[in-house]
């Protein structure tokens, strides 16, 4: 494997070169320039150093996307500590579980998360730092308390005149294989796996992005961060790449509804748009389809000479709805709606669909929108190899295997899961099924992991929800499916017991509704079930007695 350049040196270089440029903005809130970010990093380093945090210690971050979150993350890496990003929408128990499993010494906590977490449930943590102002919410360490109370004094002693570019000097990782961060695939004990991402994988994704974007993304360009930074997709392509390029990153600190996103697109005019399918589909279905799905428009589009001009006008309108200043929209994370994709291709809209996994930090496949083949997810990204485990990879679907710089080190404290996922030759087994054409375009035919994706980019693991649902009153077995952006529970009840107890079908509906309410109280908002549908017949099974899930999905 080729050797990756030093990653933390790139953070240092970007800060020095872009010292007086705008770096991070909380939309409708504060803006930090690159020198402000450097100052915050330096203060956090002083705090870490004087509180006994050493290189290799884990530091967790849990809060909504914000300038403060981003600066704390950069401070963690450039100190030589290991970052543990945690999705802020996890329940308190899930956050406690990840903090404890990762052995984090410190937790950076956002405003909402701070009211939910309980330090007594995290016995090994030394302190909780409030992301908005880096104040100390909780401390078990006198050294940490002292360091925070005397931070400005310590900073003044270290830099008696003023803090300048030449003072910026960060920890440089000793090896490309050194652990940079642990990204948890979910928050539930028994399901959660801590993906160990080395520096080489972060650098490789950054290098890939530079080649993919070319000169289209420049210093000072605006970017809108929509996806959670606690996930590798949002972190790699809406934060790390742009920060190292000297861009100005805007954070939507509120829940990014389509209306808020559309308003932000119009004001910020981002140079690149990274999105999950549901965000794009919502904007197209709500803003565009109603205007063109009428008899007059269908007639105009059927006329060869006029239809090209009409398609161009529609394309221009769609481009403007995304700010009008972007090179392309990159869609990833889940399967794309075929009707919407066919429409975008027809109007020659600059979009492409990529493919990735947390375990590859995240990119696996991508093609530029000009060479992208509709229905595919592009070709294998630079610094990696891909093969289809099939006797006929062009025609018979097989498991997608990946090898190279992007692949994780393994799962934290879970050697068995690592061995099951990365084979002795270094191939990462994605669990996804696909074929690859003669040109190298990859087409995903099924996801054997069954992961779902929320509209805001959070991973949803239906097995976790089903596990809880199956233990509830009169539930025999269940599967969770996604319909548009809603989750629906399909339940086959224990009918024998129900009828023996004298319950009617109407009673069963009421019981399942009560189950739904109780279940939702234990789940993060994006995992909640909108309805439960009763299946009178037992689910069809494979010879191994697994439910044939694909029979119940809305394709």
């Amino acid at each position: 494997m080729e050797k990756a350049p030093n990653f933390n040196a790139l953070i240092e270089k970007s800060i020095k070169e872009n010292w007086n440029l705008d770096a991070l903005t909380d939309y409708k809130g504060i803006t930090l320039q690159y020198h402000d970010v450097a100052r915050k990093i330096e203060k956090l380093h002083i705090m870490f150093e004087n509180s006994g945090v050493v290189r290799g210690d884990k530091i967790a971050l849990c809060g909504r996307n914000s300038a403060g979150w981003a600066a704390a993350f950069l401070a963690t890496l450039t100190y030589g500590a290991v970052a543990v990003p945690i999705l802020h929408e996890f329940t308190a128990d899930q956050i406690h579980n990840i903090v404890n499993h990762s052995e984090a010494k410190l937790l950076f906590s956002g405003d909402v998360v701070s009211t939910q977490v309980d330090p007594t449930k995290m016995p090994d943590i030394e302190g909780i730092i409030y992301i908005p102002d880096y104040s100390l919410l909780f401390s078990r360490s006198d050294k940490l308390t002292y360091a925070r109370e005397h931070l400005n004094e310590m900073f003044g002693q270290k830099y008696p005149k003023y803090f300048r570019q030449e003072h910026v000097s960060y920890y440089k990782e000793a090896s490309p294989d050194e652990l940079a961060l642990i990204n948890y695939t979910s928050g539930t004990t028994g399901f959660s796996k801590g993906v160990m991402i080395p520096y080489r994988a972060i650098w490789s994704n950054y290098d890939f992005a530079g080649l993919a974007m070319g000169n289209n993304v420049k210093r000072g360009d605006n970017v809108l961060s929509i996806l959670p930074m606690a996930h590798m997709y949002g972190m790699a392509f809406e934060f790390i790449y742009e920060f190292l390029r000297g861009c100005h990153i805007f954070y939507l600190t509120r829940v990014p509804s389509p209306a808020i996103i559309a308003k932000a697109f119009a004001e910020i005019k981002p140079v690149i748009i990274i999105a999950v399918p549901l965000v794009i589909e919502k904007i197209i279905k709500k803003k565009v389809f109603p205007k063109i799905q009428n008899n007059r428009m269908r007639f105009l589009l059927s006329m060869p000479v006029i239809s090209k001009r009409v398609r161009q006008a529609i394309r221009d309108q769609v481009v403007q709805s995304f700010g009008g200043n972007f090179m392309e929209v990159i869609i990833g994370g889940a399967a794309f709606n075929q009707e919407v994709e066919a429409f975008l291709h027809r109007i020659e809209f600059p979009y492409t669909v990529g493919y990735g996994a947390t375990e590859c930090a995240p990119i696996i496949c991508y093609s530029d929108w000009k060479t992208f083949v509709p229905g595919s997810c592009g070709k294998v990204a630079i610094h990696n190899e891909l093969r289809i485990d099939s006797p006929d990879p062009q025609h018979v679907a097989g498991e997608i295997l990946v090898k190279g710089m992007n692949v994780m080190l393994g799962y934290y404290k879970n050697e068995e899961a690592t061995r099951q996922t990365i084979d002795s030759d270094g191939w990462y087994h994605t669990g996804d099924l696909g074929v690859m054409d003669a040109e190298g375009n990859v087409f995903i035919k099924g996801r054997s992991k069954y992961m779902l994706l929320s509209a805001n980019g959070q991973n949803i693991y239906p097995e976790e929800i089903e596990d809880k649902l199956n233990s509830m009153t009169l539930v025999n077995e269940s599967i969770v499916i996604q319909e548009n952006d809603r989750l629906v529970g399909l339940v086959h009840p224990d009918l024998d017991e129900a009828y023996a107890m004298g319950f009617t079908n109407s009673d069963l509906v009421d019981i399942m509704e009560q189950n739904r309410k109780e279940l939702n109280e234990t789940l993060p908002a994006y995992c909640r079930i909108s309805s439960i549908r009763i299946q009178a017949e037992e689910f069809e099974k494979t010879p191994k007695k697994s439910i044939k899930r694909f029979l119940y999905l809305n394709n």
Side-chain angles (χ1 to χ4, degrees), residues 67-85:
W69 194 108
F73 176 84
L74 294 169
T76 301
L77 259 58
T78 54
Y79 185 77
V82 176
V84 183

Side-chain angles (χ1 to χ4, degrees), residues 15-23 33-35 165 219:
I15 285 173
K16 287 178 175 177
E17 289 182 352
N18 302 300
W19 194 251
N20 291 315
L21 293 182
D22 289 342
Q33 294 191 315
Y34 279 83
H35 65 85
Q165 281 149 294
R219 292 175 74 212

